[in-house]
Amino acid sequence: MNQGWFSKPVAVAVGIVGDIRNISNARQAVELLEAHWRDAGSAKHGLALRTCRRAMSDDRWTEAARDAFIEAAREAHVLVERAVEPQDRSRQQGP
C-alpha cells in the first residue's frame, strides 16, 4: 500500500495548543482523521477518510483526497490558511 503523496502539504493545527502539522500524504491524513479529529462523524470527515483511504491504494485519487481533507479541516476549524506570498499576488492580479 502506498502513501498517496499530495502535490503540496496541508497545514493543520492539532492538539490543545494547536501545534502546526504539515500533512503530506493520504496515510498521514487518515491517521489524523481517525485519531485526533474534532468533527469526527461529519459528512466531510467521512468523505475525507474514504477518499484518503482510496488514495492509499490508487494514486489517481491523491488530489481528490487532498481536496476532501482540506474541506474537512476547514469545517473542523483546524486548517491553517497560508498567506499569499507577494510573488503569488502579482500572478493572481493579472495584466
Side-chain angles (χ1 to χ4, degrees):
M1 193 172 288
N2 72 43
Q3 303 289 315
W5 292 97
F6 295 159
S7 60
K8 280 176 51 174
V10 178
V12 293
V14 296
I16 295 171
V17 294
D19 291 329
I20 305 298
R21 284 186 54 193
N22 290 303
I23 305 302
S24 300
N25 59 55
R27 180 179 300 272
Q28 292 173 345
V30 166
E31 289 171 4
L32 188 60
L33 289 162
E34 287 180 338
H36 307 287
W37 205 253
R38 278 186 172 159
D39 289 342
S42 75
K44 288 183 180 182
H45 172 265
L47 178 62
L49 198 50
R50 287 189 305 277
T51 310
C52 286
R53 284 180 178 146
R54 185 169 281 171
M56 289 167 56
S57 61
D58 186 345
D59 282 335
R60 293 176 294 180
W61 286 90
T62 56
E63 286 311 299
R66 182 180 184 277
D67 291 343
F69 181 68
I70 288 171
E71 289 305 313
R74 189 172 281 131
E75 175 186 63
H77 303 287
V78 297
L79 182 66
V80 177
E81 302 276 0
R82 300 274 186 200
V84 176
E85 298 296 324
Q87 66 270 16
D88 291 339
R89 275 193 214 127
S90 63
R91 272 188 248 141
Q92 290 178 350
Q93 291 173 354

